[in-house]
Amino acid sequence: MNDNKIEITNTKKSPKRLSPEQRKQQLLLDAIPVFANRGIGRAAHADVAQKSGVSVATAFNYFNTREELVDAVLDYVAAYYIDLAKSFHHKEEAVDNPARVLQDHAVAFIGCAHSEPDLVKIWLEWGASVRDDCWPKYLRFQEEVLDIIEPTIANGLQNGHMQSQLTARELAQILFGQAHPISLASFAPNPPTQNMMRFVQLGMQALLGIK
């Protein structure tokens, strides 16, 4: 009789445990497509929990209330757009060639509809929601973006590359306002991207009096 025994070991790896910080980040990232598809007013902890494959209680453990969950998602969207703006306007070219910086920022912004469609969908809904739970936060976000763009326009007006009877702040507000319909157009079936780019560039040149 052969006394040799074959030991069978379980080679299946247990799922990697996430730290609290990693779990919260995972839940937040999974909340983005949920909010994009369900809408800011309808997305709930249960939807995010299902997307992440965790219990609803776990989702509530990291985001104690629905208001906290909504704030986290909107803060994430705002940070994305603010970082995008800073990547163009917080460099020397914003002083030397402000018109080019504004146009490059606009092109990158339009491209977000293809690279980050979920973030754009949330931003579009957020910008059209004048409810008390969303609107004040949106206005603060808008002011922060304007604070980034305004100095670039002011440089263009001061160095003679641009000409307008409006102030740099007013011009920045108009540009920001035009971003909403442009982004909406990006979600049309087969959007004419090149024509949109041309429209934006010519419109900016006319508005800013770019020479």
Side-chain angles (χ1 to χ4, degrees):
M1 181 176 177
N2 189 353
D3 293 333
N4 294 331
K5 295 182 179 180
I6 299 176
E7 184 178 355
I8 300 176
T9 59
N10 185 2
T11 59
K12 183 178 179 180
K13 295 183 178 179
S14 59
K16 181 181 178 182
R17 293 181 63 85
L18 299 179
S19 69
E21 294 78 11
Q22 291 172 326
R23 177 65 70 189
K24 186 170 186 177
Q25 183 69 6
Q26 178 209 5
L27 287 167
L28 177 56
L29 292 177
D30 286 338
I32 298 301
V34 170
F35 272 69
N37 293 322
R38 296 275 296 166
I40 298 172
R42 295 180 60 196
H45 284 74
D47 303 312
V48 177
Q50 183 178 25
K51 176 71 174 176
S52 291
V54 300
S55 68
V56 177
T58 297
F60 269 103
N61 185 49
Y62 288 94
F63 301 99
N64 299 137
T65 64
R66 188 174 183 282
E67 290 74 16
E68 189 175 330
L69 177 61
V70 171
D71 281 346
V73 169
L74 297 183
D75 285 343
Y76 186 92
V77 173
Y80 175 83
Y81 280 109
I82 289 168
D83 288 344
L84 179 68
K86 287 179 178 178
S87 70
F88 288 97
H89 296 272
H90 285 183
K91 57 184 181 181
E92 285 188 16
E93 195 175 6
V95 176
D96 300 331
N97 195 345
R100 176 64 180 272
V101 167
L102 288 164
Q103 291 177 350
D104 287 348
H105 183 192
V107 170
F109 183 89
I110 294 173
C112 291
H114 302 285
S115 62
E116 298 289 348
D118 288 339
L119 296 182
V120 177
K121 289 176 183 178
I122 296 171
W123 172 74
L124 284 171
E125 182 186 357
W126 186 19
S129 299
V130 293
R131 300 191 309 268
D132 291 342
D133 59 337
C134 292
W135 191 237
K137 179 182 282 288
Y138 186 82
L139 292 179
R140 291 193 296 271
F141 156 66
Q142 176 180 278
E143 289 303 306
E144 190 165 351
V145 174
L146 293 178
D147 287 342
I148 297 170
I149 298 173
E150 181 184 359
T152 301
I153 299 175
N155 287 331
L157 295 173
Q158 291 169 6
N159 64 26
H161 290 172
M162 303 175 192
Q163 187 173 5
S164 175
Q165 294 182 348
L166 298 173
T167 66
R169 190 70 172 194
E170 290 168 340
L171 292 168
Q173 289 171 329
I174 294 173
L175 289 176
F176 189 93
Q178 291 301 310
H180 211 269
I182 291 296
S183 293
L184 281 173
S186 298
F187 288 97
N190 300 316
T193 305
Q194 292 302 321
N195 289 341
M196 288 170 57
M197 297 287 191
R198 180 174 178 273
F199 171 79
V200 169
Q201 290 176 344
L202 292 178
M204 289 179 64
Q205 289 176 6
L207 173 66
L208 301 172
I210 295 175
K211 298 180 179 180

